[in-house]
Amino acid sequence: MSDQNRSSKEEDKFILLAEQERLAELRQQRQLAAIRQQEREEIAFALGSNEEVAAAALELGFDGETAPVLPFVPILQVAWADGSVSRAEREELLGLAARYGIVEGSPAIQFLELLITERPTDAFFERVGALMERMVKDNPEDLLNKNLLDMCEAVAKASGGFFGYTNPIGKEERALLEEFAAKFHA
């Protein structure tokens, strides 16, 4: 067999292998795109929102099972306002979540409990706040959206005050409530 013939067969094998790898990569990209699309649809359904909001939630790390926690993040931010989440704030927050369908043992409650235990970053709170602002604007009649500020205030009051003699809402919480009132147009 000549060197030229051997070289031609090796080139053909290389080209074939490269083409197979390219096709496999394209297949994988299509599969990932389909998975992301399905996840966005599940998030949009869970939030009663659109795919644009769902895509932003997906970027923040939410999925179809944890998306119901997203509206509770501003409430959680109020709980974290003074640097820690008290037992009373935790109980109030979990009670509110249960009233809105986040059930014990679900991935959503596990995620919420993680966020209660480990403080999210300010950037996370900011991005979720902007997303919630859009959600409230898009659907102001949603029951959760309508009650968001009341729930934030309930958590703020949960562990504050001194036997009824002092204001149960601290200055950090009050500032955050005022910011949310302006942001969520309440």
Side-chain angles (χ1 to χ4, degrees):
M1 189 190 277
S2 72
D3 286 339
Q4 186 177 17
N5 203 8
R6 186 177 308 149
S7 175
S8 177
K9 285 186 178 189
E10 287 177 15
E11 287 175 10
D12 290 345
K13 283 182 184 179
F14 178 77
I15 291 170
L16 181 62
L17 183 60
E19 183 64 17
Q20 288 173 340
E21 288 175 0
R22 187 183 71 78
L23 289 174
E25 186 175 323
L26 284 173
R27 233 182 344 270
Q28 186 178 32
Q29 288 174 357
R30 282 194 303 265
Q31 290 170 337
L32 287 173
I35 290 168
R36 283 190 206 101
Q37 178 62 32
Q38 180 180 359
E39 202 63 55
R40 282 191 300 272
E41 289 170 5
E42 289 175 11
I43 292 169
F45 178 77
L47 294 175
S49 192
N50 59 44
E51 280 205 37
E52 186 179 319
V53 168
L58 185 61
E59 282 182 30
L60 286 166
F62 292 91
D63 61 25
E65 293 182 313
T66 61
V69 171
L70 188 119
F72 290 90
V73 172
I75 303 165
L76 175 72
Q77 187 175 0
V78 170
W80 275 109
D82 65 357
S84 66
V85 177
S86 71
R87 182 176 305 155
E89 289 169 327
R90 180 184 186 282
E91 289 172 9
E92 182 70 24
L93 185 56
L94 292 176
L96 291 169
R99 278 183 247 154
Y100 283 90
I102 297 179
V103 297
E104 190 66 36
S106 69
I109 199 70
Q110 291 169 359
F111 185 55
L112 182 57
E113 287 178 346
L114 174 68
L115 296 175
I116 291 170
T117 304
E118 297 180 27
R119 186 186 187 284
T121 65
D122 289 337
F124 179 79
F125 281 137
E126 286 176 30
R127 290 180 65 195
V128 170
L131 190 54
M132 282 303 303
E133 184 176 8
R134 184 184 318 161
M135 287 174 60
V136 169
K137 181 182 174 191
D138 288 351
N139 194 2
E141 296 306 310
D142 178 82
L143 189 58
L144 186 57
N145 292 346
K146 283 175 85 168
N147 295 321
L148 184 60
L149 287 174
D150 291 336
M151 292 187 294
C152 286
E153 190 168 333
V155 168
K157 288 179 178 177
S159 66
F162 183 72
F163 298 109
Y165 294 115
T166 61
N167 189 343
I169 300 176
K171 66 178 182 176
E172 298 93 352
E173 294 165 327
R174 175 65 53 207
L176 203 49
L177 289 171
E178 289 172 6
E179 177 187 326
F180 288 166
K183 185 182 282 190
F184 303 137
H185 308 290

